[in-house]
Amino acid sequence: QVQLVESGGGLVQAGGSLRLSCVASGRTFSTYYMGWVRQAPGKEREFVAAISYNGGRANIADSVKGRFTISRDNAKNTVYLQMNRLKPEDTAVYYCAADRVAVTRTRAEHWGQGTQVTVSS
């Protein structure tokens, strides 16, 4: 139905920035609520951000609010996560997710394979 491919992860120094991208297959991208969920080693998954079908509504986790922003470009079937002022605690695998109703820590109809973000101190 929908395939999600993340990119943009890597190793950065604390205080640096990264932009993650998630490209979705299919012709119905705009009908999906998109989001990002992360998981650090030894920890449970944590909701990061989500954005509504046409970008009119966004939810950002308190832990990253003010530093991360989520956006989408429906013409490119792509959702972005701009991460600024990165901290070592942001180190995790970041997963792109899509759902026709909502994206939470555990809920999504489709998941990407994840992209590693490592922030050095």
Side-chain angles (χ1 to χ4, degrees):
Q1 185 177 2
V2 175
Q3 182 177 359
L4 307 174
V5 180
E6 303 100 329
S7 63
L11 173 64
V12 298
Q13 297 182 56
S17 298
L18 283 174
R19 187 179 75 161
L20 305 184
S21 299
C22 174
V23 180
S25 65
R27 305 185 183 97
T28 59
F29 179 76
S30 64
T31 68
Y32 283 84
Y33 206 94
M34 303 294 299
W36 293 89
V37 176
R38 68 185 182 185
Q39 186 168 29
K43 298 183 179 180
E44 65 181 10
R45 287 192 174 192
E46 177 187 17
F47 171 81
V48 177
I51 189 167
S52 62
Y53 317 103
N54 293 309
R57 184 172 184 170
N59 297 318
I60 307 294
D62 288 341
S63 60
V64 302
K65 190 171 296 182
R67 299 187 297 117
F68 291 11
T69 58
I70 186 170
S71 62
R72 66 191 295 163
D73 186 340
N74 289 349
K76 297 181 178 179
N77 280 16
T78 302
V79 62
Y80 304 95
L81 184 68
Q82 179 66 48
M83 306 183 294
N84 298 323
R85 303 192 305 280
L86 284 161
K87 305 175 181 179
E89 64 194 60
D90 295 318
T91 295
V93 177
Y94 285 71
Y95 296 92
C96 178
D99 195 281
R100 286 172 288 179
V101 177
V103 173
T104 68
R105 177 176 61 86
T106 58
R107 173 177 177 161
E109 295 180 35
H110 307 281
W111 296 89
Q113 64 182 13
T115 185
Q116 176 71 48
V117 172
T118 303
V119 184
S120 62
S121 59

